[in-house]
Amino acid sequence: SQENKEVNIPSTEVLLERKMSKQKLMGLVEHEIKTHALRRFNGERSRLKLLGLGLDRYIKGEEGIATYAEQQVKGADDFAGIPKYLAIAIAKGLGGQPRDFRETHAIMQNYYLAALKDGEDLTARAEKSAWNDCVRIFRGSTCKTPGAVYGKDLAYFSGNKDVWHLVSKD
């Protein structure tokens, strides 16, 4: 909560319900606290107070760095966000026509059926992953207007990809 300057951590029961591992929780702390909250904290204490809010177009770089830091805790070896990036592209018209939630979800479900590793409940996992991606990218819309997505997740993908590229060079 930026307003109250506090971090709200869900109860143990909620964390267990979400099946959040310690590694995933530590990655989330790295992303949210050690990157976003720390930038805000340091920015508010600088002579240029505006740094606490973030300068124009800061989000791509900051999300790229935050996601990279989170990935280092979780053990990733490549950039993140390809499925959401794909879902946004499909909704915005990849393939020739913009799509609404339902159409995007159907395509993403097929993507996950092909992309997920074999195991139990493959269909259920594909359904849930497609649903979560579409809920996220269509948030703030009626879900019925083709192409009307919240594009902030593009910043996570493109910023993270750029950070991985820079790290790989040096």
Side-chain angles (χ1 to χ4, degrees):
S1 168
Q2 290 188 28
E3 184 178 335
N4 299 325
K5 296 187 178 183
E6 64 186 21
V7 176
N8 299 308
I9 300 172
S11 68
T12 302
E13 294 80 24
V14 171
L15 289 174
L16 288 172
E17 182 180 302
R18 291 184 187 172
K19 298 179 182 172
M20 185 175 288
S21 68
K22 181 179 179 180
Q23 188 178 28
K24 187 171 181 178
L25 178 60
M26 295 307 296
L28 190 60
V29 167
E30 188 74 30
H31 183 115
E32 298 297 340
I33 307 300
K34 291 187 176 180
T35 304
H36 296 310
L38 186 60
R39 188 248 333 130
R40 173 117 186 179
F41 179 83
N42 289 335
E44 288 176 346
R45 278 146 190 79
S46 73
R47 289 172 56 190
L48 182 60
K49 303 287 185 215
L50 183 60
L51 293 174
L53 297 174
L55 298 175
D56 185 33
R57 292 176 272 195
Y58 79 101
I59 211 75
K60 179 182 169 186
E62 185 169 307
E63 290 301 351
I65 291 166
T67 303
Y68 180 81
E70 176 182 354
Q71 289 178 293
Q72 298 315 294
V73 171
K74 293 164 63 175
D77 57 2
D78 204 354
F79 56 88
I82 292 171
K84 286 184 192 71
Y85 183 77
L86 176 61
I88 292 169
I90 289 166
K92 295 293 276 177
L94 179 70
Q97 66 181 40
R99 292 178 173 83
D100 64 9
F101 183 104
R102 183 183 307 264
E103 295 166 321
T104 304
H105 176 266
I107 294 169
M108 289 307 295
Q109 189 171 357
N110 287 330
Y111 162 81
Y112 277 112
L113 281 171
L116 288 174
K117 294 178 181 159
D118 292 334
E120 292 183 34
D121 302 325
L122 182 61
T123 303
R125 288 187 296 135
E127 158 67 28
K128 183 176 182 178
S129 295
W131 178 265
N132 289 341
D133 286 352
C134 289
V135 165
R136 183 170 177 100
I137 69 165
F138 280 94
R139 68 188 182 272
S141 75
T142 65
C143 299
K144 295 178 181 179
T145 305
V149 295
Y150 183 60
K152 184 179 178 189
D153 285 323
L154 291 174
Y156 290 88
F157 172 76
S158 60
N160 186 242
K161 182 175 66 63
D162 291 348
V163 169
W164 274 95
H165 180 71
L166 288 170
V167 168
S168 72
K169 287 172 65 175
D170 187 2

